[in-house]
Amino acid sequence: MRVLGVDPGLTRLGIAVVDGGTGRAVTAVAVDVIRTPVDDDLAVRLLKVADGVEAWLDRHRPGVVAIERVFSQHNVRTAMGTAQAAGVVALAAARRGLPVMFHTPSEVKAAVTGSGRADKAQVTMMVTKLLRLTEAPKPADAADALALAICHLWRAPVRNRMAEAEARAAEFAKAHRARLAAAAAQARSGSGTVAK
Amino acid sequence: MRVLGVDPGLTRLGIAVVDGGTGRAVTAVAVDVIRTPVDDDLAVRLLKVADGVEAWLDRHRPGVVAIERVFSQHNVRTAMGTAQAAGVVALAAARRGLPVMFHTPSEVKAAVTGSGRADKAQVTMMVTKLLRLTEAPKPADAADALALAICHLWRAPVRNRMAEAEARAAEFAKAHRARLAAAAAQARSGSGTVAK
């Protein structure tokens, strides 16, 4: 499975493509940062982000897009811009019929370092090691995009197994409700017989 | 000038087209609400918003798009979704080369009611009156989209005059700096002559 990982942002958007192999094997295909000028209008910045991401989707043809989930940050304006950048990335993926998954920063950190509270240096170190890179990816946004793609690859099997288990449970509950309904109908027709 | 006004949202997005005439005359061309199902994935909802807005841009060919500026709300998740809906609207406009302007809720309320703290009922009442509508637009998101377009039409001349004044001031400052630099150069060459 090939994942496009995106650490969204307007000033710097981390973007990476990682291939998953058997087990936990992961290989970096590409990583970079898309930047847009602070002085540009918001709409123009969003257009530059969208065009940049479209070019990556064309070039690398991922099967899924993983985006870091944005929560409120200290600076509301920055958080809104980040959310909007994430939105146009999700839109670009949806336009191509690609599934889009969101992962929280702590899920990503936990996946690659084992701790949801790891700092940026630890994330970068583990990403460099896991992908057998000769040098650490820079800036942090690039490392985060790689970490996000790895997180997605490693969480996907767990998520699929959970979805299967949920589907089986729903199937069981449905069959159980049907049996209950049949029993109730039988009881009603039985009481009807008695009442006659 | 024809304005597309958008009160962004994922569950309900208010959208309206208003034409500006001479002075403060305004005419409603169309108003509606675009809805997306709460159960859909975020990316799919954003795609539905984008497709809906594109259809309005095709049909009504506005010259400018005005969007309500999103600030943090009580519910962070809702605020993020609203910001993302605003982002894909801005992107659709930017893709067509249309200017995009953001107005805050209080600017919109002040423009149509005279008070930045007006409630929804007051905004709806004034919009109905200003546009000479036979009945009040519903829901509130539709009325807000109309109010936003009116706000944009009425603020645009003020904004243009301010931009012109700023341009003149910048021109004046530039000329002033040039005169200062010329005087300084003359003073230096003068002192050079004395030192010789």
Side-chain angles (χ1 to χ4, degrees):
Chain A
M1 179 159 62
R2 173 166 288 193
V3 181
L4 181 83
V6 174
D7 180 22
L10 280 178
T11 304
R12 282 186 311 276
L13 176 143
I15 190 163
V17 175
V18 176
D19 282 344
T22 53
R24 287 169 78 83
V26 284
T27 310
V29 176
V31 60
D32 204 355
V33 170
I34 296 172
R35 297 168 199 270
T36 72
V38 177
D39 294 339
D40 276 7
D41 279 343
L42 173 61
V44 173
R45 299 182 81 182
L46 291 171
L47 181 56
K48 286 177 180 173
V49 165
D51 285 348
V53 170
E54 301 268 4
W56 275 67
L57 292 173
D58 285 341
R59 199 180 314 138
H60 298 291
R61 311 239 158 231
V64 56
V65 174
I67 307 176
E68 191 162 296
R69 188 181 292 282
V70 182
F71 282 107
S72 77
Q73 296 170 359
H74 297 299
N75 184 331
V76 172
R77 186 177 287 261
T78 305
M80 293 295 157
T82 303
Q84 290 173 328
V88 305
V89 174
L91 175 66
R95 279 220 186 285
R96 288 159 194 250
L98 294 176
V100 179
M101 294 294 303
F102 290 85
H103 301 284
T104 64
S106 58
E107 281 171 354
V108 174
K109 288 174 186 172
V112 300
T113 72
S115 161
R117 294 180 178 196
D119 62 19
K120 287 194 178 293
Q122 288 172 292
V123 169
T124 297
M125 195 193 72
M126 282 306 297
V127 162
T128 309
K129 194 175 159 183
L130 291 165
L131 295 168
R132 303 168 307 282
L133 303 175
T134 49
E135 57 185 274
K138 280 180 201 169
D141 314 76
D144 282 347
L146 289 166
L148 196 78
I150 296 170
C151 168
H152 184 81
L153 285 164
W154 288 355
R155 287 176 64 93
V158 177
R159 212 169 33 244
N160 292 345
R161 281 201 301 277
M162 279 183 65
E164 279 167 24
E166 278 172 13
R168 275 199 304 275
E171 197 68 29
F172 178 81
K174 193 177 161 190
H176 184 61
R177 277 195 303 273
R179 278 195 302 276
L180 284 180
Q186 203 173 10
R188 273 198 303 278
S189 79
S191 71
T193 307
V194 168
K196 188 160 62 173
Chain B
M1 180 159 61
R2 172 164 288 192
V3 181
L4 181 82
V6 175
D7 180 21
L10 280 178
T11 304
R12 284 187 310 277
L13 176 143
I15 189 162
V17 175
V18 176
D19 283 344
T22 52
R24 288 168 79 84
V26 284
T27 310
V29 176
V31 60
D32 204 355
V33 169
I34 296 173
R35 297 168 198 270
T36 72
V38 176
D39 294 339
D40 276 6
D41 279 342
L42 173 62
V44 173
R45 299 182 81 181
L46 291 172
L47 181 56
K48 287 178 178 172
V49 165
D51 286 349
V53 171
E54 301 267 5
W56 275 67
L57 293 173
D58 284 341
R59 200 179 314 138
H60 298 290
R61 312 239 160 232
V64 57
V65 174
I67 306 176
E68 191 162 295
R69 187 182 291 282
V70 182
F71 282 107
S72 76
Q73 295 169 357
H74 297 298
N75 184 331
V76 173
R77 185 177 288 261
T78 305
M80 292 295 155
T82 303
Q84 290 173 329
V88 305
V89 174
L91 176 66
R95 280 218 186 287
R96 289 158 194 251
L98 294 175
V100 179
M101 292 296 301
F102 291 86
H103 300 284
T104 64
S106 59
E107 281 171 353
V108 174
K109 289 173 186 174
V112 299
T113 72
S115 161
R117 295 179 176 196
D119 62 19
K120 287 192 178 295
Q122 288 172 291
V123 170
T124 297
M125 194 193 73
M126 282 306 298
V127 162
T128 308
K129 193 175 159 183
L130 292 166
L131 295 167
R132 302 167 308 282
L133 303 177
T134 49
E135 57 185 275
K138 281 180 197 168
D141 314 77
D144 282 347
L146 289 166
L148 196 78
I150 296 170
C151 169
H152 184 80
L153 284 164
W154 286 356
R155 286 176 64 92
V158 177
R159 213 168 32 243
N160 292 346
R161 280 200 300 276
M162 279 182 64
E164 279 168 25
E166 278 171 12
R168 273 199 305 275
E171 197 68 29
F172 177 81
K174 194 177 161 189
H176 184 63
R177 278 196 302 274
R179 277 195 302 274
L180 283 179
Q186 200 173 12
R188 272 199 303 278
S189 81
S191 71
T193 306
V194 170
K196 190 162 59 171

Tab-separated table of all heavy atoms in Angstrom, chain A residues 42-43 46-47 50-51 54 69 71-72 76-77 79-80 83-84 86-88 90-91 94-95 100 102, chain B residues 42-43 46-47 50-51 54 69 71-72 76-77 79-80 83-84 86-88 90-91 94-95 100 102:
chain	number	residue	atom	x	y	z
A	42	LEU	N	-5.378	34.552	1.270
A	42	LEU	CA	-5.684	33.197	1.724
A	42	LEU	C	-6.116	32.295	0.574
A	42	LEU	O	-5.644	31.160	0.443
A	42	LEU	CB	-6.793	33.257	2.792
A	42	LEU	CG	-7.337	31.906	3.247
A	42	LEU	CD1	-6.250	31.055	3.868
A	42	LEU	CD2	-8.488	32.097	4.226
A	43	ALA	N	-7.011	32.796	-0.288
A	43	ALA	CA	-7.535	31.971	-1.384
A	43	ALA	C	-6.417	31.542	-2.331
A	43	ALA	O	-6.391	30.409	-2.815
A	43	ALA	CB	-8.625	32.728	-2.134
A	46	LEU	N	-4.357	28.841	-0.660
A	46	LEU	CA	-5.056	27.555	-0.715
A	46	LEU	C	-4.946	26.946	-2.113
A	46	LEU	O	-4.793	25.732	-2.264
A	46	LEU	CB	-6.524	27.722	-0.311
A	46	LEU	CG	-6.759	28.045	1.168
A	46	LEU	CD1	-8.215	28.406	1.420
A	46	LEU	CD2	-6.332	26.870	2.056
A	47	LEU	N	-5.002	27.804	-3.125
A	47	LEU	CA	-4.868	27.325	-4.505
A	47	LEU	C	-3.466	26.743	-4.729
A	47	LEU	O	-3.320	25.689	-5.358
A	47	LEU	CB	-5.138	28.484	-5.478
A	47	LEU	CG	-5.061	28.171	-6.967
A	47	LEU	CD1	-6.011	27.037	-7.341
A	47	LEU	CD2	-5.391	29.411	-7.797
A	50	ALA	N	-3.353	23.397	-3.042
A	50	ALA	CA	-4.124	22.415	-3.823
A	50	ALA	C	-3.346	21.978	-5.060
A	50	ALA	O	-3.239	20.778	-5.342
A	50	ALA	CB	-5.480	23.013	-4.220
A	51	ASP	N	-2.773	22.940	-5.783
A	51	ASP	CA	-2.014	22.604	-6.997
A	51	ASP	C	-0.801	21.739	-6.655
A	51	ASP	O	-0.484	20.791	-7.375
A	51	ASP	CB	-1.549	23.888	-7.704
A	51	ASP	CG	-2.695	24.587	-8.423
A	51	ASP	OD1	-3.773	23.975	-8.568
A	51	ASP	OD2	-2.503	25.751	-8.842
A	54	GLU	N	-2.051	18.221	-5.811
A	54	GLU	CA	-2.506	17.551	-7.045
A	54	GLU	C	-1.300	17.003	-7.818
A	54	GLU	O	-1.343	15.893	-8.354
A	54	GLU	CB	-3.262	18.545	-7.954
A	54	GLU	CG	-4.488	19.188	-7.349
A	54	GLU	CD	-5.783	18.438	-7.631
A	54	GLU	OE1	-5.718	17.360	-8.249
A	54	GLU	OE2	-6.839	18.937	-7.209
A	69	ARG	N	-4.761	15.354	11.913
A	69	ARG	CA	-5.980	16.006	12.371
A	69	ARG	C	-5.617	17.266	13.134
A	69	ARG	O	-4.766	17.239	14.016
A	69	ARG	CB	-6.769	15.058	13.281
A	69	ARG	CG	-8.153	15.598	13.655
A	69	ARG	CD	-8.881	14.648	14.582
A	69	ARG	NE	-9.251	13.409	13.926
A	69	ARG	CZ	-10.293	13.272	13.100
A	69	ARG	NH1	-11.049	14.310	12.826
A	69	ARG	NH2	-10.553	12.110	12.557
A	71	PHE	N	-6.213	20.206	15.701
A	71	PHE	CA	-7.009	20.640	16.853
A	71	PHE	C	-6.735	22.117	17.064
A	71	PHE	O	-5.921	22.696	16.357
A	71	PHE	CB	-6.641	19.811	18.084
A	71	PHE	CG	-7.267	18.454	18.058
A	71	PHE	CD1	-6.509	17.329	17.807
A	71	PHE	CD2	-8.631	18.305	18.245
A	71	PHE	CE1	-7.088	16.077	17.755
A	71	PHE	CE2	-9.228	17.060	18.199
A	71	PHE	CZ	-8.450	15.942	17.954
A	72	SER	N	-7.437	22.706	17.997
A	72	SER	CA	-7.211	24.124	18.236
A	72	SER	C	-5.771	24.321	18.688
A	72	SER	O	-5.213	23.496	19.388
A	72	SER	CB	-8.155	24.640	19.301
A	72	SER	OG	-7.702	24.232	20.563
A	76	VAL	N	-5.445	31.108	17.015
A	76	VAL	CA	-6.667	30.695	16.315
A	76	VAL	C	-6.530	30.883	14.813
A	76	VAL	O	-6.931	30.034	14.022
A	76	VAL	CB	-7.892	31.481	16.831
A	76	VAL	CG1	-9.111	31.199	15.976
A	76	VAL	CG2	-8.174	31.126	18.271
A	77	ARG	N	-5.926	31.994	14.391
A	77	ARG	CA	-5.795	32.279	12.968
A	77	ARG	C	-4.949	31.199	12.288
A	77	ARG	O	-5.277	30.727	11.197
A	77	ARG	CB	-5.152	33.657	12.769
A	77	ARG	CG	-5.100	34.099	11.299
A	77	ARG	CD	-4.526	35.508	11.203
A	77	ARG	NE	-5.484	36.488	11.662
A	77	ARG	CZ	-6.260	37.213	10.843
A	77	ARG	NH1	-6.162	37.054	9.543
A	77	ARG	NH2	-7.092	38.093	11.308
A	79	ALA	N	-4.533	28.114	13.375
A	79	ALA	CA	-5.293	26.861	13.396
A	79	ALA	C	-6.296	26.823	12.254
A	79	ALA	O	-6.459	25.792	11.595
A	79	ALA	CB	-6.007	26.705	14.734
A	80	MET	N	-6.945	27.954	11.991
A	80	MET	CA	-7.934	28.013	10.910
A	80	MET	C	-7.247	27.800	9.559
A	80	MET	O	-7.747	27.055	8.718
A	80	MET	CB	-8.651	29.372	10.916
A	80	MET	CG	-9.517	29.586	12.130
A	80	MET	SD	-10.908	28.418	12.165
A	80	MET	CE	-11.287	28.417	13.898
A	83	ALA	N	-6.374	24.201	9.232
A	83	ALA	CA	-7.582	23.409	8.956
A	83	ALA	C	-7.982	23.565	7.493
A	83	ALA	O	-8.375	22.587	6.838
A	83	ALA	CB	-8.722	23.858	9.866
A	84	GLN	N	-7.868	24.789	6.971
A	84	GLN	CA	-8.259	25.019	5.582
A	84	GLN	C	-7.306	24.323	4.610
A	84	GLN	O	-7.748	23.766	3.598
A	84	GLN	CB	-8.351	26.520	5.314
A	84	GLN	CG	-9.558	27.097	6.053
A	84	GLN	CD	-9.656	28.584	5.997
A	84	GLN	OE1	-8.658	29.283	5.957
A	84	GLN	NE2	-10.868	29.094	6.015
A	86	ALA	N	-5.697	21.569	5.314
A	86	ALA	CA	-6.086	20.156	5.429
A	86	ALA	C	-7.337	19.887	4.599
A	86	ALA	O	-7.453	18.847	3.936
A	86	ALA	CB	-6.336	19.793	6.891
A	87	GLY	N	-8.264	20.847	4.613
A	87	GLY	CA	-9.515	20.699	3.861
A	87	GLY	C	-9.281	20.598	2.360
A	87	GLY	O	-9.879	19.745	1.700
A	88	VAL	N	-8.396	21.438	1.814
A	88	VAL	CA	-8.193	21.379	0.359
A	88	VAL	C	-7.430	20.109	-0.038
A	88	VAL	O	-7.625	19.586	-1.135
A	88	VAL	CB	-7.528	22.661	-0.233
A	88	VAL	CG1	-8.325	23.899	0.133
A	88	VAL	CG2	-6.090	22.792	0.169
A	90	ALA	N	-7.841	17.173	1.565
A	90	ALA	CA	-8.894	16.148	1.614
A	90	ALA	C	-9.773	16.227	0.373
A	90	ALA	O	-10.153	15.197	-0.205
A	90	ALA	CB	-9.735	16.324	2.879
A	91	LEU	N	-10.063	17.465	-0.058
A	91	LEU	CA	-10.885	17.658	-1.259
A	91	LEU	C	-10.200	17.083	-2.499
A	91	LEU	O	-10.837	16.391	-3.301
A	91	LEU	CB	-11.157	19.159	-1.455
A	91	LEU	CG	-11.907	19.548	-2.719
A	91	LEU	CD1	-13.335	19.017	-2.687
A	91	LEU	CD2	-11.912	21.065	-2.895
A	94	ALA	N	-10.548	13.375	-2.357
A	94	ALA	CA	-11.932	12.946	-2.591
A	94	ALA	C	-12.299	13.078	-4.070
A	94	ALA	O	-13.006	12.235	-4.612
A	94	ALA	CB	-12.886	13.772	-1.726
A	95	ARG	N	-11.778	14.114	-4.739
A	95	ARG	CA	-12.040	14.305	-6.170
A	95	ARG	C	-11.532	13.122	-6.983
A	95	ARG	O	-12.006	12.845	-8.067
A	95	ARG	CB	-11.324	15.563	-6.684
A	95	ARG	CG	-12.046	16.835	-6.397
A	95	ARG	CD	-11.958	17.808	-7.577
A	95	ARG	NE	-12.542	19.099	-7.225
A	95	ARG	CZ	-13.836	19.325	-7.126
A	95	ARG	NH1	-14.693	18.341	-7.344
A	95	ARG	NH2	-14.287	20.513	-6.798
A	100	VAL	N	-9.586	9.029	2.552
A	100	VAL	CA	-8.828	10.006	3.357
A	100	VAL	C	-8.981	9.623	4.817
A	100	VAL	O	-10.095	9.407	5.298
A	100	VAL	CB	-9.373	11.435	3.154
A	100	VAL	CG1	-8.600	12.432	4.010
A	100	VAL	CG2	-9.322	11.828	1.687
A	102	PHE	N	-7.766	10.620	8.886
A	102	PHE	CA	-7.125	11.622	9.740
A	102	PHE	C	-6.537	10.931	10.963
A	102	PHE	O	-7.163	10.027	11.528
A	102	PHE	CB	-8.153	12.671	10.174
A	102	PHE	CG	-8.591	13.560	9.053
A	102	PHE	CD1	-9.620	13.175	8.198
A	102	PHE	CD2	-7.959	14.771	8.822
A	102	PHE	CE1	-10.019	13.982	7.148
A	102	PHE	CE2	-8.359	15.593	7.774
A	102	PHE	CZ	-9.391	15.201	6.929
B	42	LEU	N	-15.563	13.395	6.214
B	42	LEU	CA	-15.250	14.816	6.040
B	42	LEU	C	-14.876	15.136	4.598
B	42	LEU	O	-15.380	16.120	4.026
B	42	LEU	CB	-14.100	15.203	6.985
B	42	LEU	CG	-13.539	16.616	6.797
B	42	LEU	CD1	-14.600	17.671	7.062
B	42	LEU	CD2	-12.351	16.840	7.721
B	43	ALA	N	-14.008	14.296	3.999
B	43	ALA	CA	-13.540	14.576	2.631
B	43	ALA	C	-14.705	14.566	1.649
B	43	ALA	O	-14.760	15.393	0.730
B	43	ALA	CB	-12.473	13.545	2.231
B	46	LEU	N	-16.719	17.746	2.086
B	46	LEU	CA	-16.034	18.884	1.460
B	46	LEU	C	-16.207	18.835	-0.054
B	46	LEU	O	-16.380	19.874	-0.702
B	46	LEU	CB	-14.546	18.889	1.837
B	46	LEU	CG	-14.261	19.222	3.301
B	46	LEU	CD1	-12.782	18.998	3.620
B	46	LEU	CD2	-14.646	20.667	3.615
B	47	LEU	N	-16.195	17.629	-0.615
B	47	LEU	CA	-16.388	17.473	-2.053
B	47	LEU	C	-17.796	17.918	-2.450
B	47	LEU	O	-17.972	18.608	-3.464
B	47	LEU	CB	-16.149	16.012	-2.451
B	47	LEU	CG	-16.277	15.672	-3.941
B	47	LEU	CD1	-15.353	16.536	-4.784
B	47	LEU	CD2	-15.971	14.188	-4.177
B	50	ALA	N	-17.876	21.666	-2.348
B	50	ALA	CA	-17.138	22.215	-3.502
B	50	ALA	C	-17.969	22.088	-4.777
B	50	ALA	O	-18.096	23.057	-5.538
B	50	ALA	CB	-15.798	21.492	-3.662
B	51	ASP	N	-18.561	20.906	-5.003
B	51	ASP	CA	-19.377	20.705	-6.213
B	51	ASP	C	-20.580	21.643	-6.218
B	51	ASP	O	-20.934	22.199	-7.263
B	51	ASP	CB	-19.854	19.248	-6.284
B	51	ASP	CG	-18.732	18.299	-6.684
B	51	ASP	OD1	-17.666	18.787	-7.109
B	51	ASP	OD2	-18.914	17.073	-6.565
B	54	GLU	N	-19.330	25.186	-6.997
B	54	GLU	CA	-18.932	25.267	-8.421
B	54	GLU	C	-20.171	25.446	-9.300
B	54	GLU	O	-20.166	26.232	-10.254
B	54	GLU	CB	-18.213	23.970	-8.853
B	54	GLU	CG	-16.950	23.636	-8.073
B	54	GLU	CD	-15.684	24.172	-8.704
B	54	GLU	OE1	-15.771	24.892	-9.705
B	54	GLU	OE2	-14.607	23.887	-8.157
B	69	ARG	N	-15.907	35.286	7.685
B	69	ARG	CA	-14.660	34.873	8.325
B	69	ARG	C	-14.985	34.049	9.568
B	69	ARG	O	-15.786	34.479	10.400
B	69	ARG	CB	-13.834	36.101	8.716
B	69	ARG	CG	-12.444	35.754	9.227
B	69	ARG	CD	-11.705	37.009	9.636
B	69	ARG	NE	-11.363	37.861	8.492
B	69	ARG	CZ	-10.347	37.628	7.666
B	69	ARG	NH1	-9.578	36.578	7.843
B	69	ARG	NH2	-10.101	38.456	6.661
B	71	PHE	N	-14.254	32.472	13.116
B	71	PHE	CA	-13.405	32.580	14.298
B	71	PHE	C	-13.642	31.342	15.128
B	71	PHE	O	-14.484	30.511	14.788
B	71	PHE	CB	-13.720	33.850	15.083
B	71	PHE	CG	-13.113	35.063	14.468
B	71	PHE	CD1	-13.895	35.988	13.799
B	71	PHE	CD2	-11.737	35.256	14.511
B	71	PHE	CE1	-13.331	37.090	13.199
B	71	PHE	CE2	-11.170	36.362	13.919
B	71	PHE	CZ	-11.963	37.281	13.261
B	72	SER	N	-12.910	31.180	16.194
B	72	SER	CA	-13.101	30.000	17.031
B	72	SER	C	-14.518	30.036	17.588
B	72	SER	O	-15.063	31.084	17.890
B	72	SER	CB	-12.106	29.998	18.174
B	72	SER	OG	-12.495	30.906	19.150
B	76	VAL	N	-14.867	23.170	18.974
B	76	VAL	CA	-13.680	23.237	18.123
B	76	VAL	C	-13.872	22.428	16.847
B	76	VAL	O	-13.515	22.861	15.752
B	76	VAL	CB	-12.440	22.731	18.884
B	76	VAL	CG1	-11.249	22.628	17.939
B	76	VAL	CG2	-12.106	23.667	20.026
B	77	ARG	N	-14.501	21.246	16.962
B	77	ARG	CA	-14.684	20.396	15.794
B	77	ARG	C	-15.564	21.104	14.756
B	77	ARG	O	-15.272	21.083	13.563
B	77	ARG	CB	-15.307	19.059	16.209
B	77	ARG	CG	-15.429	18.060	15.079
B	77	ARG	CD	-15.980	16.748	15.604
B	77	ARG	NE	-15.009	16.035	16.396
B	77	ARG	CZ	-14.269	15.025	15.918
B	77	ARG	NH1	-14.421	14.627	14.678
B	77	ARG	NH2	-13.403	14.415	16.685
B	79	ALA	N	-15.966	24.348	14.463
B	79	ALA	CA	-15.216	25.491	13.922
B	79	ALA	C	-14.261	25.032	12.830
B	79	ALA	O	-14.128	25.685	11.794
B	79	ALA	CB	-14.448	26.187	15.039
B	80	MET	N	-13.616	23.887	13.045
B	80	MET	CA	-12.669	23.369	12.052
B	80	MET	C	-13.412	23.000	10.761
B	80	MET	O	-12.959	23.310	9.666
B	80	MET	CB	-11.947	22.135	12.599
B	80	MET	CG	-11.015	22.438	13.747
B	80	MET	SD	-9.643	23.502	13.219
B	80	MET	CE	-9.220	24.252	14.773
B	83	ALA	N	-14.344	26.125	8.970
B	83	ALA	CA	-13.158	26.714	8.337
B	83	ALA	C	-12.815	25.949	7.057
B	83	ALA	O	-12.455	26.551	6.042
B	83	ALA	CB	-11.974	26.686	9.300
B	84	GLN	N	-12.941	24.626	7.114
B	84	GLN	CA	-12.602	23.828	5.939
B	84	GLN	C	-13.599	24.048	4.806
B	84	GLN	O	-13.208	24.118	3.639
B	84	GLN	CB	-12.502	22.356	6.334
B	84	GLN	CG	-11.262	22.140	7.194
B	84	GLN	CD	-11.149	20.761	7.784
B	84	GLN	OE1	-12.155	20.115	8.064
B	84	GLN	NE2	-9.931	20.319	7.985
B	86	ALA	N	-15.194	26.846	4.334
B	86	ALA	CA	-14.815	28.169	3.824
B	86	ALA	C	-13.597	28.044	2.904
B	86	ALA	O	-13.520	28.707	1.863
B	86	ALA	CB	-14.504	29.114	4.980
B	87	GLY	N	-12.671	27.174	3.288
B	87	GLY	CA	-11.457	26.965	2.490
B	87	GLY	C	-11.749	26.432	1.100
B	87	GLY	O	-11.189	26.918	0.113
B	88	VAL	N	-12.642	25.442	0.999
B	88	VAL	CA	-12.915	24.885	-0.334
B	88	VAL	C	-13.714	25.877	-1.195
B	88	VAL	O	-13.567	25.875	-2.418
B	88	VAL	CB	-13.588	23.484	-0.297
B	88	VAL	CG1	-12.763	22.508	0.540
B	88	VAL	CG2	-15.003	23.537	0.183
B	90	ALA	N	-13.253	29.208	-1.005
B	90	ALA	CA	-12.211	30.152	-1.432
B	90	ALA	C	-11.384	29.536	-2.565
B	90	ALA	O	-11.035	30.222	-3.537
B	90	ALA	CB	-11.314	30.512	-0.247
B	91	LEU	N	-11.101	28.236	-2.448
B	91	LEU	CA	-10.326	27.546	-3.484
B	91	LEU	C	-11.065	27.546	-4.818
B	91	LEU	O	-10.469	27.830	-5.869
B	91	LEU	CB	-10.054	26.104	-3.037
B	91	LEU	CG	-9.342	25.210	-4.047
B	91	LEU	CD1	-7.921	25.698	-4.294
B	91	LEU	CD2	-9.330	23.763	-3.559
B	94	ALA	N	-10.756	30.950	-6.273
B	94	ALA	CA	-9.385	31.226	-6.723
B	94	ALA	C	-9.085	30.486	-8.029
B	94	ALA	O	-8.393	31.011	-8.904
B	94	ALA	CB	-8.384	30.837	-5.633
B	95	ARG	N	-9.611	29.256	-8.176
B	95	ARG	CA	-9.401	28.478	-9.409
B	95	ARG	C	-9.958	29.205	-10.625
B	95	ARG	O	-9.517	28.987	-11.745
B	95	ARG	CB	-10.102	27.123	-9.312
B	95	ARG	CG	-9.356	26.091	-8.538
B	95	ARG	CD	-9.492	24.713	-9.180
B	95	ARG	NE	-8.883	23.697	-8.341
B	95	ARG	CZ	-7.587	23.538	-8.190
B	95	ARG	NH1	-6.736	24.317	-8.851
B	95	ARG	NH2	-7.111	22.608	-7.399
B	100	VAL	N	-11.553	36.976	-3.663
B	100	VAL	CA	-12.257	36.447	-2.492
B	100	VAL	C	-12.049	37.406	-1.338
B	100	VAL	O	-10.916	37.796	-1.057
B	100	VAL	CB	-11.712	35.056	-2.088
B	100	VAL	CG1	-12.446	34.533	-0.868
B	100	VAL	CG2	-11.819	34.081	-3.247
B	102	PHE	N	-13.094	38.234	2.817
B	102	PHE	CA	-13.682	37.709	4.044
B	102	PHE	C	-14.215	38.868	4.874
B	102	PHE	O	-13.568	39.907	4.972
B	102	PHE	CB	-12.629	36.927	4.839
B	102	PHE	CG	-12.225	35.649	4.170
B	102	PHE	CD1	-11.230	35.623	3.211
B	102	PHE	CD2	-12.854	34.453	4.500
B	102	PHE	CE1	-10.867	34.434	2.568
B	102	PHE	CE2	-12.505	33.265	3.882
B	102	PHE	CZ	-11.513	33.256	2.918
